[in-house]
Amino acid sequence: MADGNMIPLLPQSDGRLAWGNGVISMLFDVTGDSPVRLANVAGRGMAAAEGGLSGAVAVVERDARPIVEVRAANTGSQDNRLSLIATVAGGKLRFVSAHASEPAEDSGDPYRLEITQFASYDALQPMGREFEPVATERDRPSEDAAPSPHCERAQGIEASPTIPGNATDAPQPGLTVTSVFEAYPGLSAVRTHTRLRSPEPFSVEAVSSMNLTVPLTVNGGTVESSHLLWGDAAWAVENDWHMRPLRETSVRDRNQRINPGQSSSRFALSSTSIWSTGMHEPAGIV
């Protein structure tokens, strides 16, 4: 369905945004002074926890991550050990709007969601390191907490958002990031990509197509019950898949109460040059 037929999708009373195709459901947290986060996702074959994604108290992940990471040349990451996550530019993005469309019957089009975030150039200037609040701090209720301002976008994708409270309400120049989600009818799968727009030169070194928080909580899963699958590859030896319990990999849980901060433990596989399957398959399963 053409972008022009998309309609605004408004957050629920709890400040979260729900979307799906009737088979797979996604829940986004768009409130607070932080980037949009994928609070949870559930699909076919997942035994959703009581309450699910649309209950009176929705089930959400304990430490949901921002859906987009943007590594800019002038700011990089908050931690030089983690060059592609905890990015400064990604952490400055704030929710602007969401638009969705549903396919016409027998059209062959997918359900579509576009979430737009924005960061002004002033916010993207180099500055000292800022420590991100840990999960326990982000989830702590505040007496004076209020939903983040909803920034209305002017007509047309080329327009810059206006910042409420600005003396002149003039459009602010900056980086606009749009996350696009597509789900075809009847399928428990979502295809996603990210669009960036900057009216002025802005050097970007890397951008995530999607930053996914593994949906353990909504599925009643634990580290002990989860497994990681990956595929090795070589010339004429493709799809050599392996499986290990998540607990036995290099990923380690970090006690945020004793030692708050971003963990640098990871399970990473990469190939070199343009041969994406030269060493490993460019996909994995949890």
Side-chain angles (χ1 to χ4, degrees):
M1 186 174 289
D3 290 352
N5 293 324
M6 300 186 74
I7 61 174
L9 184 63
L10 301 178
Q12 303 170 153
S13 59
D14 60 0
R16 296 191 175 101
L17 198 71
W19 176 82
N21 66 347
V23 179
I24 193 166
S25 301
M26 305 181 77
L27 188 68
F28 300 89
D29 189 346
V30 301
T31 62
D33 189 22
S34 67
V36 175
R37 301 172 187 272
L38 179 59
N40 230 319
V41 57
R44 182 181 288 121
M46 294 178 65
E50 184 176 354
L53 300 184
S54 58
V57 179
V59 177
V60 297
E61 290 304 319
R62 178 171 59 94
D63 190 17
R65 310 305 302 157
I67 60 174
V68 176
E69 293 288 1
V70 179
R71 181 178 173 89
N74 67 329
T75 55
S77 172
Q78 298 285 6
D79 193 326
N80 57 13
R81 303 168 304 162
L82 311 168
S83 60
L84 298 180
I85 67 173
T87 56
V88 174
K92 296 296 184 182
L93 296 173
R94 297 295 182 267
F95 175 72
V96 173
S97 62
H99 290 77
S101 66
E102 296 185 3
E105 188 175 358
D106 299 326
S107 67
D109 293 329
Y111 290 80
R112 186 180 178 93
L113 169 69
E114 294 191 359
I115 296 178
T116 299
Q117 300 185 79
F118 176 80
S120 68
Y121 292 132
D122 289 342
L124 296 173
Q125 292 301 310
M127 61 186 66
R129 180 178 176 183
E130 297 178 355
F131 289 93
E132 181 187 61
V134 298
T136 53
E137 294 174 336
R138 271 204 310 273
D139 297 339
R140 184 183 303 134
S142 173
E143 294 182 358
D144 57 353
S148 60
H150 180 77
C151 307
E152 293 294 343
R153 185 175 59 177
Q155 293 295 323
I157 192 65
E158 299 301 318
S160 298
T162 58
I163 308 301
N166 185 288
T168 61
D169 275 343
Q172 301 295 302
L175 178 68
T176 300
V177 178
T178 302
S179 299
V180 181
F181 302 86
E182 294 178 330
Y184 283 89
L187 295 183
S188 182
V190 176
R191 179 173 63 187
T192 178
H193 66 272
T194 305
R195 294 199 311 258
L196 271 65
R197 181 186 178 276
S198 174
E200 300 176 10
F202 185 77
S203 298
V204 173
E205 296 179 344
V207 59
S208 61
S209 55
M210 176 61 184
N211 196 28
L212 173 68
T213 301
V214 177
L216 289 178
T217 302
V218 74
N219 196 38
T222 64
V223 174
E224 287 72 20
S225 65
S226 301
H227 289 75
L228 185 67
L229 291 86
W230 73 94
D232 293 333
W235 188 259
V237 189
E238 309 292 335
N239 292 313
D240 181 15
W241 285 86
H242 310 274
M243 181 174 71
R244 290 177 63 187
L246 186 59
R247 177 63 79 186
E248 295 181 8
T249 68
S250 55
V251 178
R252 294 291 178 266
D253 195 10
R254 179 169 176 163
N255 190 318
Q256 294 290 340
R257 296 187 181 277
I258 298 175
N259 187 18
Q262 190 73 250
S263 173
S264 61
S265 68
R266 63 175 186 164
F267 182 88
L269 298 172
S270 61
S271 295
T272 57
S273 188
I274 59 172
W275 189 6
S276 63
T277 60
M279 298 171 63
H280 309 287
E281 301 297 338
I285 303 171
V286 177

